Amino acid sequence: NSFEQMEAVIAQRRAEPQEVNTCYLFEKGIDKILKKVGEECAETIIAAKNGDKAELVGEINDVFYHMMVMMNECGVTMED
């Protein structure tokens, strides 16, 4: 499924750093990752309030992505 694919990509980017956002987050550590999770949650709330479905979908995807980066950093898998 999509979550398992995203989990695999995040793990690969951590193992083989590239010049992408995921690697930057891992390099900066848990505090930066958690800050991004919080920011994306706030943006999702605002998008929901504004009633723009496309914006909301994008923000939800951002929350999922940053949550999965956090999960990887903390050693939590989808199976858990």
Side-chain angles (χ1 to χ4, degrees), residues 45-80:
I45 292 166
I46 292 166
K49 183 190 79 58
N50 290 341
D52 182 332
K53 185 176 180 179
E55 180 184 4
L56 178 58
V57 168
E59 295 301 340
I60 290 169
N61 283 322
D62 288 347
V63 168
F64 286 154
Y65 163 76
H66 287 92
M67 292 289 290
M68 293 188 77
V69 171
M70 179 190 67
M71 289 168 59
N72 183 282
E73 178 72 9
C74 294
V76 175
T77 66
M78 292 296 294
E79 187 176 313
D80 293 331

Side-chain angles (χ1 to χ4, degrees), residues 25-65:
L25 291 170
F26 285 131
E27 179 183 305
K28 294 299 179 183
I30 191 69
D31 288 344
K32 182 66 172 178
I33 294 167
L34 295 176
K35 181 179 177 185
K36 288 301 294 180
V37 169
E39 288 173 8
E40 297 303 340
C41 287
E43 291 172 5
T44 301
I45 292 166
I46 292 166
K49 183 190 79 58
N50 290 341
D52 182 332
K53 185 176 180 179
E55 180 184 4
L56 178 58
V57 168
E59 295 301 340
I60 290 169
N61 283 322
D62 288 347
V63 168
F64 286 154
Y65 163 76

Side-chain angles (χ1 to χ4, degrees), residues 18-31:
Q18 304 166 7
E19 295 298 321
V20 295
N21 188 46
T22 307
C23 299
Y24 169 80
L25 291 170
F26 285 131
E27 179 183 305
K28 294 299 179 183
I30 191 69
D31 288 344

